[in-house]
Amino acid sequence: MVFSEYIKSLPNQRQDMIEQLARETQTSKSVVYRWMSGQITPPPVKQTIISNILGIPAEELFPKNNGSN
């Protein structure tokens, strides 16, 4: 499950999870919202932190786009 889908699937814990991700990745909540919307992708080190928090492999949360940019 990709990151944005996972976060959206947490209706009751979404705010808590966003706050935890912001805190543990030392990022603002607005940046976490941008990750959720797909506007930006977290850098690899933060992908690893997010993966550890959620217990989902980073490759699954943030699949590489094989198309041209």
Side-chain angles (χ1 to χ4, degrees), residues 1-66:
M1 177 179 292
V2 296
F3 178 69
S4 60
E5 292 173 0
Y6 179 80
I7 296 298
K8 290 175 185 174
S9 74
L10 302 172
N12 296 328
Q13 303 124 320
R14 188 178 309 156
Q15 266 320 109
D16 293 338
M17 181 58 67
I18 291 167
E19 290 175 11
Q20 179 182 2
L21 291 170
R23 183 177 58 252
E24 294 196 26
T25 59
Q26 298 180 356
T27 307
S28 69
K29 288 193 291 186
S30 65
V31 170
V32 175
Y33 282 110
R34 291 175 69 197
W35 294 340
M36 287 172 48
S37 71
Q39 291 177 342
I40 59 174
T41 302
V45 69
K46 294 190 182 201
Q47 289 181 21
T48 301
I49 295 167
I50 294 166
S51 172
N52 290 336
I53 293 168
L54 301 180
I56 300 172
E59 299 79 22
E60 188 176 332
L61 290 169
F62 306 100
K64 301 286 186 226
N65 184 356
N66 293 328

